[in-house]
Amino acid sequence: MQLKMTQRDLQRFMEAEFPQVAEDFQVAEVSPMRAIIRKPIGKKHLRPGGTVSGPTMFALADVSIYLAILAMIGPKALAVTTNCSIDFMRKPAADADLLAHASLHKLGRVLAVGDVLIYSEGDDRPVARASLTYSIPPERS
């Protein structure tokens, strides 16, 4: 399978279609059926006790699979999440960026299924694992 969008294409797509959050996610790497997305962590992402919040990690997992899909199918802004399950496995470092490693397992005409492992930068132990299913909009004729 061949990429339809590069790292630069994906970042530009985010800036054009999601300017309100584009700076929150950086496309670090993209390859067929995979993407690595960086989420810079700051005080606004921490919950009481200094832990990175669950919604912050959920957003990273969701965006990561979305961008991995778009890298393969092209810029289809209307692809949407239909299911997500996330396991929080350990406390992420509050002073490190998060890295999401997204892998697509199925990329069909109408559904895509993938997993995301989220790491604190500099630690090889995942802090969360998510499984996501996306609905891909039909081609218009």
Side-chain angles (χ1 to χ4, degrees), residues 24-25 39-61 86-99 118-121 127-128:
D24 294 343
F25 303 98
K39 170 83 175 116
I41 298 300
K43 286 186 179 186
K44 70 180 181 178
H45 304 109
L46 303 180
R47 60 185 300 266
T51 301
V52 177
S53 72
T56 297
M57 289 186 274
F58 175 89
L60 176 57
I86 189 165
D87 296 307
F88 302 103
M89 301 186 301
R90 68 182 37 84
K91 181 178 174 180
D95 59 349
D97 290 350
L98 293 179
L99 295 172
I118 299 174
Y119 300 87
S120 290
E121 188 170 36
V127 298

Side-chain angles (χ1 to χ4, degrees), residues 123-135:
D123 191 341
D124 62 355
R125 300 170 302 157
V127 298
R129 182 195 64 84
S131 293
L132 294 100
T133 303
Y134 257 76
S135 176

